[in-house]
């Protein structure tokens, strides 16, 4: 008998056991984003963000997350579906923010078609399990127990087995890995054209580059979408759909002395936040300046625009304040990075 037979027998036994339990060895993660979902013309796109609906499937999915301190919004919609985006920022002992997100895609009949729970920076499996079980448990009976079991079993396995696990139940196909987190594809709902707009709140990258250069950013577009500002250790990063800005992220300092801002916004954005549309630029700028004056964080919707501000406060002495703010404007498209 060949010496390789015991290994082969063990492999066949594992496959048989997985088949009996409704689980299959993962052949690789699902494509992110799923093939073709953004390869379409506009389909009644609406990129004006709204609070996540409190009723129906949307409310069921997001209610346990918001109760746990998450921020959730309906980021965009179109004729075929709605995209929800949830986010929480946790601070560790060093006061560093660790962000975790969750993506939900619902069809036009208010059924969950797809969900993604990306790994968090810390305790990835634990945080993914907590978010997925609390959200999906509100709409799918039995799903939380199976999710918890599969992820717990996966985290206990040795490096001799695959680093990912996939399974199926009566509701959906599931794929979990340390790299991707948990991806859920529902069995009875699908959205052919995923919402992809950003026109309500953002302009195009090609129109924004000149003002970024005027503010001291080293920025060459195309193809560069990550710009740096050496003078202030600043950065400006965008995600795009073609030339349309979907998310913009940047860091900016704040220096309050004698109650006055000594680091005006115009040092880095001499013409203001011109990557934003006229309709939202004023309210979003006002919200940013409030956080800069107070050294406070923020997560919410301003003039139909998702705004996330993570503030790191430094020295505070009376009316004096030093802070650094990491800002995100706009929510990412479902199934895309960065989160």
């Amino acid at each position: 008998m060949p010496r390789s037979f015991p290994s082969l027998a063990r492999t066949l036994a594992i496959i048989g056991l997985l088949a009996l339990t409704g689980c299959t060895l993962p052949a690789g993660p699902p494509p992110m984003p799923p093939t073709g979902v953004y390869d379409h013309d506009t389909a009644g796109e609406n990129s004006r963000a709204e609070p996540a609906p409190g009723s129906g499937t949307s409310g069921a999915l997001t209610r346990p997350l918001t109760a746990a301190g998450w921020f959730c919004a309906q980021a965009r919609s179109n004729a075929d579906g709605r995209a929800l985006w949830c986010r929480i920022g946790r601070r560790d002992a060093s006061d560093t923010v660790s962000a975790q997100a969750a993506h939900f895609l619902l069809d036009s009949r208010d059924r969950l078609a797809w969900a993604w729970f990306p790994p968090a920076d810390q305790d990835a499996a634990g945080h993914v399990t907590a978010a997925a079980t609390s959200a999906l448990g509100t709409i799918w009976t039995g799903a939380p127990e199976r999710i918890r079991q599969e992820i717990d079993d996966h985290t206990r396995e040795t490096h001799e087995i695959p680093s990912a696990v996939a399974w199926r139940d009566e509701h959906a196909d599931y794929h979990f890995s340390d790299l991707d987190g948990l991806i859920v594809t529902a069995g009875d709902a699908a959205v052919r054209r995923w919402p992809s707009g950003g026109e309500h709140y953002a302009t195009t990258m090609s129109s924004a580059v000149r003002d970024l250069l005027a503010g001291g950013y080293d920025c060459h577009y195309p193809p560069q979408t990550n710009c740096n500002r050496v003078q202030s250790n600043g950065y400006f990063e965008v995600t795009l759909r073609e030339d349309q800005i979907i998310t913009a992220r940047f860091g900016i300092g704040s220096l309050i002395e004698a109650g006055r801002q000594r680091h005006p916004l115009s040092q880095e954005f001499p013409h203001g936040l011109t990557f934003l549309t006229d309709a939202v630029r004023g309210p979003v700028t006002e919200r940013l300046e409030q956080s800069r004056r107070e050294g406070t964080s923020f997560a919410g919707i301003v003039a139909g625009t998702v705004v996330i501000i993570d503030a790191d406060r430094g020295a505070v002495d009376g009316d004096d304040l030093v802070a650094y703010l990491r800002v995100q404007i706009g929510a990412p498209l479902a199934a895309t990075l960065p989160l």
Side-chain angles (χ1 to χ4, degrees), residues 24 30 32 58 70 147 149 168 170 172 191 232 258 286 298:
T24 59
M32 294 285 278
S58 299
W70 291 61
I147 291 170
Q149 173 194 337
R168 174 181 294 173
E170 65 270 30
V191 177
S232 61
E286 182 178 349
F298 175 81

Side-chain angles (χ1 to χ4, degrees), residues 252-264 267 292-293 315 319-325:
I252 187 168
S254 179
L255 175 60
I256 306 294
E257 292 181 341
R260 296 183 59 185
Q261 179 62 259
R262 303 296 182 178
H263 185 95
Q267 283 190 11
R292 296 181 71 223
R293 289 192 303 270
D319 292 334
D320 296 348
L321 168 71
V322 176
Y324 188 79
L325 292 80

Side-chain angles (χ1 to χ4, degrees), residues 148-159:
R148 189 175 293 107
Q149 173 194 337
E150 295 287 354
I151 295 178
D152 286 351
D153 289 348
H154 168 77
T155 57
R156 285 195 297 266
E157 296 290 352
T158 68
H159 295 295

Side-chain angles (χ1 to χ4, degrees), residues 37 40-47 74 76-83 105-106 108 191-197:
V37 295
H40 60 79
D41 295 330
T42 57
E45 298 291 337
N46 178 9
S47 58
Q74 179 175 301
R76 52 184 54 87
S77 62
N78 68 8
D80 291 353
R82 296 177 289 138
L105 188 76
L106 282 70
S108 58
V191 177
R192 182 173 67 88
R193 299 174 295 186
W194 287 21
S196 60

Side-chain angles (χ1 to χ4, degrees), residues 91-96 122:
R91 291 188 179 270
D92 60 19
S94 64
D95 205 33
T96 300
Q122 300 176 355

Side-chain angles (χ1 to χ4, degrees), residues 169-191:
D169 64 15
E170 65 270 30
H171 309 294
D173 291 338
Y174 305 80
H175 182 279
F176 174 80
S177 71
D178 298 322
L179 179 63
D180 298 314
L182 179 65
I183 302 169
V184 182
T185 304
D188 63 349
V191 177

Side-chain angles (χ1 to χ4, degrees), residues 92-294:
D92 60 19
S94 64
D95 205 33
T96 300
V97 174
S98 173
Q100 183 184 2
H103 297 233
F104 303 100
L105 188 76
L106 282 70
D107 70 5
S108 58
R109 297 171 56 187
D110 196 38
R111 299 176 300 178
L112 179 65
W114 185 92
W116 180 31
F117 302 88
D121 293 337
Q122 300 176 355
D123 187 21
H127 286 316
V128 167
T129 299
T133 55
S134 63
L136 298 180
T138 64
I139 62 170
W140 290 340
T141 303
E145 292 75 14
R146 183 68 181 277
I147 291 170
R148 189 175 293 107
Q149 173 194 337
E150 295 287 354
I151 295 178
D152 286 351
D153 289 348
H154 168 77
T155 57
R156 285 195 297 266
E157 296 290 352
T158 68
H159 295 295
E160 297 175 359
I161 66 165
S163 60
V165 62
W167 71 96
R168 174 181 294 173
D169 64 15
E170 65 270 30
H171 309 294
D173 291 338
Y174 305 80
H175 182 279
F176 174 80
S177 71
D178 298 322
L179 179 63
D180 298 314
L182 179 65
I183 302 169
V184 182
T185 304
D188 63 349
V191 177
R192 182 173 67 88
R193 299 174 295 186
W194 287 21
S196 60
E199 291 82 0
H200 168 70
Y201 57 89
T203 62
T204 61
M205 186 59 177
S206 59
S207 67
V209 168
R210 180 178 299 178
D211 286 341
L212 292 170
L213 294 174
Y217 285 92
D218 177 15
C219 194
H220 303 280
Y221 175 78
Q224 185 177 348
T225 58
N226 299 318
C227 309
N228 297 308
R229 189 176 189 273
V230 178
Q231 301 95 309
S232 61
N233 195 30
Y235 63 92
F236 184 87
E237 304 171 349
V238 295
T239 60
L240 305 173
R241 187 173 190 267
E242 297 178 346
D243 192 32
Q244 172 66 51
I245 295 174
I246 300 298
T247 64
R249 292 175 169 85
F250 60 93
I252 187 168
S254 179
L255 175 60
I256 306 294
E257 292 181 341
R260 296 183 59 185
Q261 179 62 259
R262 303 296 182 178
H263 185 95
L265 187 67
S266 59
Q267 283 190 11
E268 301 181 32
F269 300 97
H271 304 293
L273 304 181
T274 56
F275 57 90
L276 300 179
T277 61
D278 293 341
V280 308
R281 188 180 307 146
V284 171
T285 301
E286 182 178 349
R287 176 59 257 187
L288 173 59
E289 291 294 69
Q290 180 179 343
S291 284
R292 296 181 71 223
R293 289 192 303 270
E294 300 171 350

